[in-house]
C-alpha cells in the first residue's frame, strides 16, 4: 500500500502539539528525528501540515482535518493491541477513555476514578470533554472511546446503561431574587442560557412547563455547566443546569437556584458504548465499575438532599 504506519505516531503528536520540539519531547525522540518525520509526512500528503506564523506554527486546513482522524486512528490501533481473552483488573495495564461534561467529571468521574484506583491501580482513565461536535458524531466517535455520558434518549441503536438521575433547576442572579418565587411567565420573559444537551433532551419539558405555549427566548447555548454563574450573575438571564451542578457553584458566585416551573423536568445520565465492545472482558468490567459509580453518586445525592 506504500504506507508507513510508523508515521502515524509522529503525525498525531505534531498535529496536537503544533511544534516539532514539543512533539519530540512528548515522544521521547530527538528533534531532528521528528523533523525528518514531518518532512516525510509533507511529501506523503503534498501539504505543509504545519506553517509558521510569527513565532508559532499553525495547522493548514488539511492539518486541521487530519488532527482528529489521527487521534481516532491511534485509539483504534491501541484498542486492537490491548485486547485480551480475559481481564484481571488487579494486574491490567491499559487505558479507558470516557467522554464527559465538566459536571459529570466533578461527580461521576471522581467517583469512578476512586473505584478504578482501588480495584485496578495500573489502569488509567482518560476523560475527554463533551462538545456538540462529539455528540453530533457520537456514532463514529464511540468507535475510538470506551464510553460517552449523555442523557437517556440522546442516541438510538447504541447500547447504554442508566447511571443516575438528576433534576433540572433554574439559576438566576441573586439581585433578581424576590421573597416570592418568580412566576413561570416572568421566567419565560427573560433571556435564557441553556446547555446544549438540554436542547436535545429536555427542551420538550421546557415547552410543556410554560402555559399557553410560551417558549423562553434562548440567548446563549454553552457546552459547560460550571461556567454558568459567570453568565448569570448581575444580569436578568435565567440559566438551566442539573441540580447537582448548581450545588457545586461557589457560595459567592452571585447566583441563586430557583425551582423549575414544573418539578418533572428530570434527566437520567447514561453510559453509551459502541456495540463492538459488548463482549470485551475489559469493557464488561469497565461497565460494571461505571454502574457502581452511578449507584454511589445516586446514594450521595440522596444523603445531601
Amino acid at each position: 500500500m506504500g504506507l508507513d504506519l510508523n508515521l502515524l505516531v509522529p503525525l498525531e503528536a505534531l498535529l496536537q502539539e503544533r511544534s516539532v520540539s514539543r512533539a519530540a519531547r512528548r515522544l521521547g525522540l530527538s528533534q531532528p528525528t521528528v523533523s525528518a518525520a514531518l518532512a516525510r509526512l509533507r511529501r506523503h500528503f503534498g501539504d505543509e501540515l504545519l506553517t509558521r506564523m510569527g513565532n508559532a506554527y499553525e495547522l493548514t486546513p488539511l492539518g486541521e482535518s487530519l488532527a482528529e482522524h489521527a487521534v481516532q486512528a491511534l485509539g483504534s490501533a491501541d484498542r486492537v493491541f490491548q485486547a485480551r481473552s480475559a481481564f484481571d483488573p488487579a494486574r491490567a495495564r491499559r487505558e479507558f477513555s470516557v467522554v464527559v461534561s465538566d459536571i459529570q467529571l466533578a461527580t461521576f468521574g471522581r467517583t469512578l476514578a476512586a473505584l478504578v484506583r482501588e480495584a485496578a491501580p495500573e489502569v488509567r482513565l482518560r476523560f475527554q470533554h463533551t462538545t456538540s461536535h462529539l455528540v453530533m458524531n457520537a456514532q463514529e466517535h464511540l468507535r475510538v472511546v470506551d464510553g460517552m455520558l449523555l442523557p437517556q434518549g440522546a442516541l438510538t441503536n447504541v447500547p447504554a446503561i442508566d447511571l443516575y438521575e438528576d433534576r433540572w433547576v433554574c439559576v438566576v442572579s441573586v439581585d433578581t431574587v424576590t421573597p416570592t418565587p418568580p412566576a413561570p411567565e416572568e421566567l419565560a420573559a427573560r433571556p435564557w442560557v441553556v446547555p446544549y444537551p438540554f436542547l436535545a433532551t429536555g427542551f420538550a419539558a421546557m415547552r410543556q412547563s410554560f402555559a399557553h405555549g410560551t417558549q423562553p427566548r434562548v440567548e446563549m447555548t454553552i457546552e459547560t455547566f460550571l461556567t454558568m454563574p459567570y453568565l448569570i450573575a448581575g444580569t436578568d438571564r435565567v440559566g438551566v443546569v442539573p441540580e447537582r451542578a448548581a450545588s457545586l457553584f461557589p457560595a459567592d458566585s452571585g447566583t441563586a437556584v430557583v425551582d423549575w416551573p414544573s418539578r418533572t423536568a428530570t434527566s437520567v445520565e447514561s453510559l453509551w458504548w459502541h456495540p463492538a465492545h459488548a463482549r470485551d472482558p475489559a469493557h464488561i468490567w469497565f461497565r460494571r465499575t461505571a454502574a457502581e459509580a452511578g449507584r454511589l453518586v445516586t446514594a450521595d445525592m440522596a444523603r445531601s438532599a
Side-chain angles (χ1 to χ4, degrees), residues 138-154:
Q139 304 277 0
E140 176 182 352
H141 196 69
L142 281 173
R143 296 179 180 275
V144 295
V145 296
D146 290 287
M148 299 179 71
L149 259 68
L150 295 172
Q152 185 184 72

Side-chain angles (χ1 to χ4, degrees), residues 53-139:
M53 299 292 290
N55 294 325
Y57 281 93
E58 291 188 0
L59 298 184
T60 66
L62 178 61
E64 290 281 0
S65 68
L66 286 174
E68 185 172 341
H69 292 308
V71 171
Q72 293 178 349
L74 273 181
S76 297
D78 187 56
R79 193 173 305 282
V80 168
F81 287 101
Q82 284 185 353
R84 297 290 187 274
S85 59
F87 183 74
D88 179 1
R91 302 177 61 184
R93 301 187 65 180
R94 64 159 290 168
E95 179 180 88
F96 291 98
S97 54
V98 195
V99 178
V100 295
S101 69
D102 55 346
I103 180 58
Q104 292 165 341
L105 181 58
T107 53
F108 171 83
R110 179 182 175 89
T111 304
L112 177 65
L115 293 175
V116 169
R117 183 178 188 180
E118 179 180 1
E122 295 299 321
V123 165
R124 302 184 308 275
L125 291 173
R126 177 165 60 89
F127 291 108
Q128 184 176 357
H129 179 63
T130 307
T131 65
S132 55
H133 173 75
L134 290 182
V135 175
M136 291 174 62
N137 297 277
Q139 304 277 0

Side-chain angles (χ1 to χ4, degrees), residues 185-199:
E185 293 76 14
E186 179 188 346
L187 287 176
R190 298 190 193 181
W192 281 61
V193 182
V194 176
Y196 77 90
F198 184 82
L199 292 176

Side-chain angles (χ1 to χ4, degrees), residues 226-305:
L226 298 181
T227 56
M228 184 74 76
Y230 301 101
L231 302 172
I232 300 297
T235 75
D236 64 342
R237 299 186 184 111
V238 179
V240 55
V241 297
E243 188 173 27
R244 190 67 176 170
S247 71
L248 296 179
F249 291 166
D252 60 352
S253 68
T255 61
V257 173
V258 176
D259 273 340
W260 187 258
S262 168
R263 295 184 65 86
T264 60
T266 60
S267 174
V268 176
E269 298 299 336
S270 302
L271 174 71
W272 305 78
W273 65 89
H274 194 275
H277 304 326
R279 299 177 64 183
D280 175 12
H283 203 274
I284 292 172
W285 174 85
F286 171 73
R287 298 198 300 266
R288 289 172 177 167
T289 306
E292 175 63 10
R295 188 190 67 79
L296 292 175
V297 169
T298 300
D300 181 62
M301 288 177 175
R303 284 193 298 268
S304 59

